[in-house]
Amino acid sequence: MTGLGAVFRPQLAPERLRAIARLADESGLEELWLWEDCFREGGISTAAAALAWTERVRVGVGLLPVPLRNVALTAMEAASLYRMFPGRAVLGVGHGVQDWMGQVGARAESPVTLLREHLLALRALLRGERVTTSGRYVKLDDVALDWPPQGPVEVLAGATGPRSLQLAGEAADGTVLTASTSPEGVRRARQLIDEGRASGGRSGDSHTVVVYLLAATGPDAATRLRAEFVAEGRDQVPDLGVAGDARAVANAVQRLADAGADTVILQPTGDEPDPEGFVRFTAEEVRPLVP
């Protein structure tokens, strides 16, 4: 079965998260995803709060920009969530938006190298290993977690370009693709991920692909979807984003699933007038139509 979820966009004030998280839990939504967009809301703090306010919904963070944090801190925070809320936290890391990283003095000369080093060290720490490494960016001296997760956990990586997609296959347990990914883009991403898995000797491991899908519903859905593309400075193209009723959205989800997505996360427009209604729409109207 294709996984389905929705995004709580950080354009919403943090104090709105509690009501939406509880609604997600009560309505049967499978996954609620949060973003750590600069300079809005912290990914770990909001995830911890959403998990504490709920009982069953999985809470994803996509993505934590690795230039902002030491890998030991990422591992400590991730392990705490995995232990306190077993099976319900989903964490993804990425190299961050470079302009934002520049604003805080954290821009890396080689973002892909940084992401590789962070992923390798993070996954080792979460496996309970004692890590000593001296990379270009990640340096650890005899570091181990006192409280590693109590079983295997997934670490996802955000990726767009060919090098980062291959890296995700090699060094992560899953990949997060942006809402700028068409079904054909998902197929191509899967190929590059598989190349990375093969080069890293991980062809036998499972690898989850999560894809965001920009979606709008309601009488002004098409207008809001077009406005979102304009605001991002790009043209709307076929199979990228969907506006319409539950059947139209479910069909778009299925196209991504057929292309290789394991989970599709519906991303409302930045001006979504009813975020609570969007969560309910995803859980109660779209979910029954997605096999």
Side-chain angles (χ1 to χ4, degrees):
M1 176 182 287
T2 303
L4 188 68
V7 178
F8 174 90
R9 290 187 63 149
Q11 285 87 351
L12 297 174
E15 57 267 26
R16 297 196 62 178
L17 177 59
R18 183 173 185 168
I20 290 176
R22 287 185 167 177
L23 174 62
D25 210 42
E26 294 163 2
S27 65
L29 188 73
E30 293 161 42
E31 299 189 7
L32 180 68
W33 279 67
L34 312 171
W35 294 349
E36 189 169 79
D37 275 3
C38 296
F39 299 95
R40 294 186 170 114
E41 296 155 7
I44 295 295
S45 56
T46 51
L51 287 161
W53 288 325
T54 56
E55 298 293 334
R56 44 150 300 279
V57 67
R58 282 162 55 90
V59 175
V61 181
L63 301 160
L64 297 170
V66 299
L68 291 182
R69 53 178 50 79
N70 185 285
V71 69
L73 179 60
T74 308
M76 290 159 57
E77 292 183 323
S80 296
L81 290 184
Y82 290 138
R83 289 183 68 106
M84 291 189 293
F85 308 100
R88 294 184 54 215
V90 187
L91 297 184
V93 298
H95 52 54
V97 176
Q98 295 310 294
D99 286 347
W100 289 342
M101 299 304 100
Q103 283 183 267
V104 298
R107 186 166 186 160
E109 185 176 346
S110 177
V112 174
T113 299
L114 169 57
L115 182 57
R116 177 189 298 277
E117 293 180 359
H118 198 103
L119 280 167
L120 293 174
L122 176 60
R123 291 179 61 246
L125 289 168
L126 292 174
R127 289 193 299 265
E129 298 177 14
R130 186 169 296 276
V131 180
T132 295
T133 184
S134 182
R136 181 174 177 182
Y137 298 104
V138 174
K139 303 179 189 301
L140 298 174
D141 181 11
D142 196 34
V143 175
L145 297 177
D146 280 10
W147 298 103
Q150 294 175 302
V153 296
E154 287 186 328
V155 175
L156 279 59
T160 52
R163 290 180 60 208
S164 57
L165 286 164
Q166 290 173 331
L167 170 61
E170 176 188 345
D173 304 299
T175 302
V176 181
L177 302 176
T178 72
S180 297
T181 312
S182 66
E184 184 54 39
V186 174
R187 292 187 185 92
R188 178 56 178 158
R190 270 289 189 187
Q191 292 174 353
L192 291 164
I193 290 165
D194 288 344
E195 290 175 9
R197 293 169 70 200
S199 67
R202 303 189 64 198
S203 295
D205 297 345
S206 62
H207 191 99
T208 302
V209 173
V210 178
V211 185
Y212 290 118
L213 172 63
L214 184 62
T217 190
D220 61 346
T223 299
R224 287 191 291 109
L225 191 71
R226 284 194 298 272
E228 185 88 359
F229 282 96
V230 170
E232 295 175 359
R234 56 196 177 99
D235 295 328
Q236 186 174 349
V237 299
D239 287 333
L240 203 61
V242 58
D245 60 12
R247 173 56 67 185
V249 175
N251 288 342
V253 170
Q254 190 59 52
R255 288 192 290 272
L256 292 171
D258 291 342
D262 297 297
T263 298
V264 177
I265 306 300
L266 301 187
Q267 174 182 320
T269 59
D271 61 353
E272 167 59 53
D274 183 9
E276 290 84 358
F278 187 85
V279 166
R280 190 176 291 108
F281 168 76
T282 303
E284 298 178 357
E285 298 185 46
V286 181
R287 171 74 273 179
L289 301 177
V290 177

